[in-house]
Amino acid sequence: MRRVWGRGNHVQCIHPGNQCLKGHEEVLRGWEQVLQGGAPADTTGAKIPIVFSKVEVYATDTMAFVTCLEVVTPPGPPKPQRLAGLIATNVFEKQDGEWKIIHHQASPSL
């Protein structure tokens, strides 16, 4: 994760139902919680699979954005629960010749 996220005060991430995380380190801490099983209160350590669809891409020489539908299925007894899809936007910026994510926002799909 550290390699794909940009640096700077303008780097932000908004996970569904959460506040805006600002700056490289705060964003990485937020993703660590998500990738380790979701909310900070989750102690199972279970990984959450994410499947992407309806991916749309727009790019210029120095900036790009991607929109998509994320389908999240967290594990859980007796069988996995399927969550509603999330509509996500990811904004990229070229930093030192490499594409880096500078903004991610996801919200529930209607």
Side-chain angles (χ1 to χ4, degrees), residues 60-90:
T60 67
D61 291 340
T62 59
M63 202 154 212
F65 67 86
V66 176
T67 58
C68 65
L69 176 64
E70 299 175 344
V71 178
V72 181
T73 309
K79 54 186 171 181
Q81 298 175 329
R82 186 176 176 104
L83 292 182
L86 301 171
I87 299 294
T89 300
N90 294 290

Side-chain angles (χ1 to χ4, degrees), residues 14-18 86 104 106-108:
I14 305 170
H15 295 293
N18 288 316
L86 301 171
H104 168 80
S107 59

Side-chain angles (χ1 to χ4, degrees), residues 5-64:
W5 275 92
R7 298 208 175 256
N9 294 333
H10 62 300
V11 173
Q12 298 182 352
C13 182
I14 305 170
H15 295 293
N18 288 316
Q19 297 178 7
C20 182
L21 305 174
K22 298 177 184 175
H24 184 79
E25 294 304 318
E26 188 174 335
V27 165
L28 290 178
R29 281 191 297 276
W31 274 108
E32 186 176 302
Q33 290 176 346
V34 168
L35 296 174
Q36 290 302 317
D42 182 9
T43 58
T44 66
K47 304 294 185 203
I48 298 177
I50 303 171
V51 176
F52 303 95
S53 65
K54 299 184 180 180
V55 178
E56 297 287 336
V57 179
Y58 173 81
T60 67
D61 291 340
T62 59
M63 202 154 212

